[in-house]
Amino acid sequence: MQGSEADALRTPVAASYARALVRAFGRTRSERDELLKGTGIQQGALDQPGAHMPVSSLVLLAANITRAHGELWPLSAAAVWSTSLQGALDVATRTAPTVADALNIGARFGSTRAPFIRNRLRRTARSIQIEIAPAVPMDGALWRAVALAVSLNVHAVYVQLLEDAIDQATLHFPWPPPAGAERLMQHYSCAVKFDAAAFAFDVPNALCVRPSPFADPELHAKAIEALEAVEKPRSDAAALVRMVESLIAARLPHRLAEEDAARLVGTSRRTLVRRLA
């Protein structure tokens, strides 16, 4: 595994994603146990406001759901891709001066909120695109499911910004239409293209110059400040301490062994002890 992928798997991610997934698909105790199997996620951690977990745990949870419910599971988990779950990223995007500024913020900070993906802004003669790729190893079915969730969130944001012009934007998927594509299409007001070169959201230049209907310079500046604070290197000692503290709190009154803590943050016991010291 490449170093960058290993680093991404260790990156802390808000437990809110996992919480929403477990609530959507774990209606009984046995269902929750199956969802969390092998993830290292404790139910107690999901009940802690502000808790974090390694990206690796969230990816394993999404893989368990994909195996159990198929690639279209995001259609049954609206809370996972709702704009309200994106916090400062949603605020910064909506309050940006123009649609082009909103796209630029999504490309820059999208992986700050969702470190399991990487974003790249591309400008063509006719449009601006956000191209999205996995930041960690995912098999085909899992990546298609995660990409679907990401695309639904992107659509939810830009249907507000573009309003009645949303049908001029296009979502590109680099795979054939899935079985049950008719269910999928009911969730999009923009154009959808399969068998594309890459997973991307494309907005024509004529729409990119539009002012955001929610533009708010003061609120925008505060949201950017919050995102920049999170964007700072997550591998520093403070971030690691916060993650380990969350893991310890989730296990109380039981003790969290050093070996278990190291496994959950994606490193060795010796490395964890050295970095905490």
Side-chain angles (χ1 to χ4, degrees), residues 127-150:
S127 67
I128 298 178
Q129 297 180 350
I130 297 180
E131 190 173 299
I132 307 165
V136 298
M138 300 187 202
D139 65 28
L142 175 57
W143 171 232
R144 288 190 293 272
V146 171
L148 174 56
V150 171

Side-chain angles (χ1 to χ4, degrees), residues 155-180:
H155 180 269
V157 172
Y158 285 91
V159 75
Q160 298 178 64
L161 295 181
L162 296 175
E163 301 177 306
D164 58 352
I166 184 64
D167 60 343
Q168 298 178 48
T170 307
L171 271 166
H172 297 263
F173 295 104
W175 41 73

Side-chain angles (χ1 to χ4, degrees), residues 87-97 101-102 105 109 219-220 223-224 227:
L89 177 60
D90 173 51
V91 176
T93 303
R94 284 189 295 108
T95 59
D101 293 316
I105 288 163
F109 292 110
L219 190 56
H220 181 69
I224 292 294
L227 289 169

Side-chain angles (χ1 to χ4, degrees), residues 9-237:
L9 284 169
R10 289 192 293 267
T11 302
V13 63
S16 52
Y17 288 115
R19 186 183 303 120
L21 288 170
V22 171
R23 286 179 176 174
F25 297 104
R27 303 187 186 280
T28 67
R29 175 62 181 271
S30 61
E31 287 176 345
R32 290 192 292 272
D33 289 344
E34 282 299 309
L35 292 179
L36 298 177
K37 184 181 294 182
T39 65
I41 302 171
Q42 300 296 316
Q43 181 65 45
L46 300 180
D47 300 329
Q48 303 253 344
H52 287 72
M53 63 185 59
V55 163
S56 57
S57 294
L58 181 62
V59 170
L60 289 169
L61 173 59
N64 287 347
I65 294 172
T66 303
R67 282 192 292 270
H69 298 276
E71 298 174 19
L72 298 186
W73 62 255
L75 301 183
S76 304
V80 178
W81 46 265
S82 67
T83 57
S84 59
L85 202 62
Q86 306 309 313
L89 177 60
D90 173 51
V91 176
T93 303
R94 284 189 295 108
T95 59
T98 68
V99 171
D101 293 316
L103 289 164
N104 185 61
I105 288 163
R108 177 183 171 187
F109 292 110
S111 57
T112 299
R113 186 65 183 173
F116 44 87
I117 60 172
R118 289 195 183 97
N119 304 307
R120 183 176 67 158
L121 197 70
R122 296 187 60 214
R123 297 179 182 271
T124 72
R126 61 164 298 277
S127 67
I128 298 178
Q129 297 180 350
I130 297 180
E131 190 173 299
I132 307 165
V136 298
M138 300 187 202
D139 65 28
L142 175 57
W143 171 232
R144 288 190 293 272
V146 171
L148 174 56
V150 171
S151 73
L152 289 166
N153 174 255
V154 169
H155 180 269
V157 172
Y158 285 91
V159 75
Q160 298 178 64
L161 295 181
L162 296 175
E163 301 177 306
D164 58 352
I166 184 64
D167 60 343
Q168 298 178 48
T170 307
L171 271 166
H172 297 263
F173 295 104
W175 41 73
E182 64 282 353
R183 287 179 56 212
L184 186 67
M185 301 307 296
Q186 297 171 10
H187 290 262
Y188 298 113
S189 303
C190 64
V192 176
K193 179 181 178 181
F194 290 99
D195 292 313
F199 174 34
F201 181 63
D202 180 285
V203 181
N205 288 329
L207 296 182
C208 290
V209 298
R210 277 192 173 196
S212 167
F214 309 100
D216 185 324
E218 184 176 351
L219 190 56
H220 181 69
K222 290 180 178 178
I224 292 294
E225 184 179 352
L227 289 169
E228 287 177 339
V230 178
E231 190 185 37
K232 293 176 182 177
R234 297 171 182 238
S235 59
D236 62 12

